[in-house]
Amino acid sequence: MKILYIGTGAQAIGYNSETAVELIINILGTEMEKLGEDVGIIDIKDDTMNRNNKLKYHFIDMPGFLEKTKPKPGSFFHVLKKLIFSIKSVLLIYNLNKKEKIDIIHIQNQYPGFFIMLFLKRFMKKSRFVYTSHTPFWSFDKKDFKKYYFKTYLDRICMKLADKAIAIGYSQKNGLVKHGKIDENKIIVIQNGVNLDKFYPGKSRMKKEEKLVVLSVARISNVKNQLMIIKTVPEIIKKRNIKFVFIGQLEEEDYVIKLKDFIKENKIEKYVEILGVKNEDLAEYYRLADIFVSASNAEGFPLTVLEAMASGCVLILSDIEPHKEILEDKGIVFFKKDNEKDFIEKLSKIIKDKSLREKLGKKSLESARKNYSWKGVALENKKLYVE
């Protein structure tokens, strides 16, 4: 089978990609190649990227002023970069298919998905188009969903244009059917996996102070709700020796300023650290951490939760539906969304009880190893392609 994966146009694909979708495409392509498939990837050029040389890359040139930039998501240059990539991808795929028929074209971003399927499906009748949605807002109820209607518009169109659609979570599929009016028979759920060779328990090479470390990994944005966690820090540190570390793309400048202002005003600088994306060090931070927390209001099916599980962390998560797809009996503690009091109670209990931490961390690790390997994800994708 000849399979072609399409990049996002925003950032390059490889082992050191800094964002989730690019990492997923790299891992899925690698696992599919191990299964004996002929795998190609359309991507932007980036000489700093550590790539899998067994995959066939087809690079798209960007204008000089965009070539090495990583524009802020949602900005003019971010959208422009994706548009240029999408239009050039249409021409490249058309020419590649004339040389050798492509069986499966798998797209995981709205911009290239819209252009590629709109213009190529009529000419490539022997190829099949698969679209995976990573948009997190489908799990919202009707009231909150309306706020993100425009952001989900292209996602909805891509789902309708595709021959088959993949949702990365069951709550996401329910939202696509309910809000997006997508035929439920068209959507298959294939959850994300975790790289077990990279994320595992052990001693971190990061220097650990004499404190428990609470880690949160997500893009720094209002939707991920880091502010709720930070607001609880003054109460939690009163009688506890603890450090909070937040790692993620600094996506919303105003929101980052709000976080830093609160930290400064409450004089908790030595207890809270906010870092940009540290992909090369990420596994070491998971191994450094004792507890992983997420107060997120929206997810598809979060890679970071799986990475924390595979690293043996104790997990405390907001009780949104995508988080609850990973069941509580697998070692996860849930707190009521946006409820600071409930979060403090749950975190405090775990901080005080070392044996409970060890028990929950062991359960998380067992669940990650048993249920979320990328090989399993690849086999599910291959089954879909064959069908």
Side-chain angles (χ1 to χ4, degrees), residues 129-176:
F129 294 79
V130 178
Y131 179 76
T132 297
S133 171
H134 295 277
T135 304
F137 308 115
W138 294 107
S139 59
F140 278 143
D141 58 29
K142 188 174 181 180
K143 181 182 176 183
D144 287 332
F145 176 77
K146 286 181 178 178
K147 300 175 187 175
Y148 300 95
Y149 186 86
F150 180 76
K151 288 192 174 185
T152 59
Y153 177 71
L154 282 180
D155 209 46
R156 186 185 302 110
I157 292 175
C158 289
M159 287 275 177
K160 290 181 176 179
L161 289 173
D163 293 300
K164 202 72 175 179
I166 296 174
I168 58 173
Y170 292 96
S171 54
Q172 186 188 50
K173 177 179 178 176
N174 293 338
L176 283 161

Side-chain angles (χ1 to χ4, degrees), residues 84-330:
I84 293 170
F85 177 84
S86 301
I87 294 167
K88 287 191 171 187
S89 291
V90 171
L91 298 172
L92 179 53
I93 294 169
Y94 181 76
N95 289 324
L96 287 173
N97 191 63
K98 284 199 298 184
K99 296 176 184 178
E100 187 177 357
K101 184 180 79 72
I102 302 167
D103 297 300
I104 298 290
I105 297 171
H106 192 157
I107 313 159
Q108 309 202 37
N109 185 268
Q110 303 96 324
Y111 286 89
F114 173 77
F115 284 95
I116 289 167
M117 288 188 282
L118 184 66
F119 291 111
L120 289 181
K121 278 196 77 177
R122 69 188 73 180
F123 300 111
M124 297 174 62
K125 297 187 184 297
K126 292 184 179 180
S127 300
R128 293 294 175 263
F129 294 79
V130 178
Y131 179 76
T132 297
S133 171
H134 295 277
T135 304
F137 308 115
W138 294 107
S139 59
F140 278 143
D141 58 29
K142 188 174 181 180
K143 181 182 176 183
D144 287 332
F145 176 77
K146 286 181 178 178
K147 300 175 187 175
Y148 300 95
Y149 186 86
F150 180 76
K151 288 192 174 185
T152 59
Y153 177 71
L154 282 180
D155 209 46
R156 186 185 302 110
I157 292 175
C158 289
M159 287 275 177
K160 290 181 176 179
L161 289 173
D163 293 300
K164 202 72 175 179
I166 296 174
I168 58 173
Y170 292 96
S171 54
Q172 186 188 50
K173 177 179 178 176
N174 293 338
L176 283 161
V177 174
K178 183 178 178 180
H179 301 311
K181 309 301 179 186
I182 309 297
D183 179 2
E184 65 177 326
N185 295 316
K186 191 177 191 177
I187 307 170
I188 182 172
V189 175
I190 302 178
Q191 295 173 324
N192 287 326
V194 61
N195 186 346
L196 297 171
D197 293 328
K198 180 178 180 180
F199 300 101
Y200 52 85
K203 188 174 181 181
S204 174
R205 59 179 171 80
M206 299 285 179
K207 185 179 178 181
K208 186 168 184 175
E209 303 170 22
E210 299 255 335
K211 296 179 181 179
L212 282 176
V213 175
V214 176
L215 177 68
S216 179
V217 182
R219 68 183 192 274
I220 311 297
S221 73
N222 190 59
V223 169
K224 299 301 182 181
N225 205 17
Q226 288 92 348
L227 182 58
M228 192 230 79
I229 299 170
I230 290 175
K231 282 182 176 180
T232 69
V233 174
E235 177 66 26
I236 290 170
I237 63 174
K238 283 181 180 178
K239 297 179 181 180
R240 304 169 186 93
N241 197 18
I242 194 163
K243 176 77 173 282
F244 289 78
V245 179
F246 296 86
I247 298 177
Q249 187 176 8
L250 306 179
E251 188 171 293
E252 299 172 16
E253 189 175 338
D254 292 343
Y255 186 70
V256 175
I257 291 171
K258 188 184 292 188
L259 299 182
K260 291 183 176 180
D261 284 347
F262 182 90
I263 292 166
K264 186 176 181 181
E265 288 167 9
N266 289 271
K267 299 178 181 178
I268 54 174
E269 292 95 331
K270 69 177 182 177
Y271 301 102
V272 182
E273 190 172 8
I274 298 176
L275 305 173
V277 176
K278 296 271 186 180
N279 187 59
E280 67 276 11
D281 296 325
L282 191 54
E284 298 298 331
Y285 276 103
Y286 281 116
R287 283 190 275 275
L288 180 74
D290 300 284
I291 301 166
F292 178 90
V293 298
S294 171
S296 181
N297 293 322
E299 295 289 348
F301 192 75
L303 282 181
T304 56
V305 170
L306 301 183
E307 290 165 356
M309 289 172 67
S311 303
C313 296
V314 179
L315 273 69
I316 305 179
L317 311 177
S318 55
D319 63 353
I320 59 175
E321 287 303 316
H323 281 160
K324 289 167 75 175
E325 288 182 35
I326 310 170
L327 299 178
E328 190 167 6
D329 63 0
K330 293 175 183 174

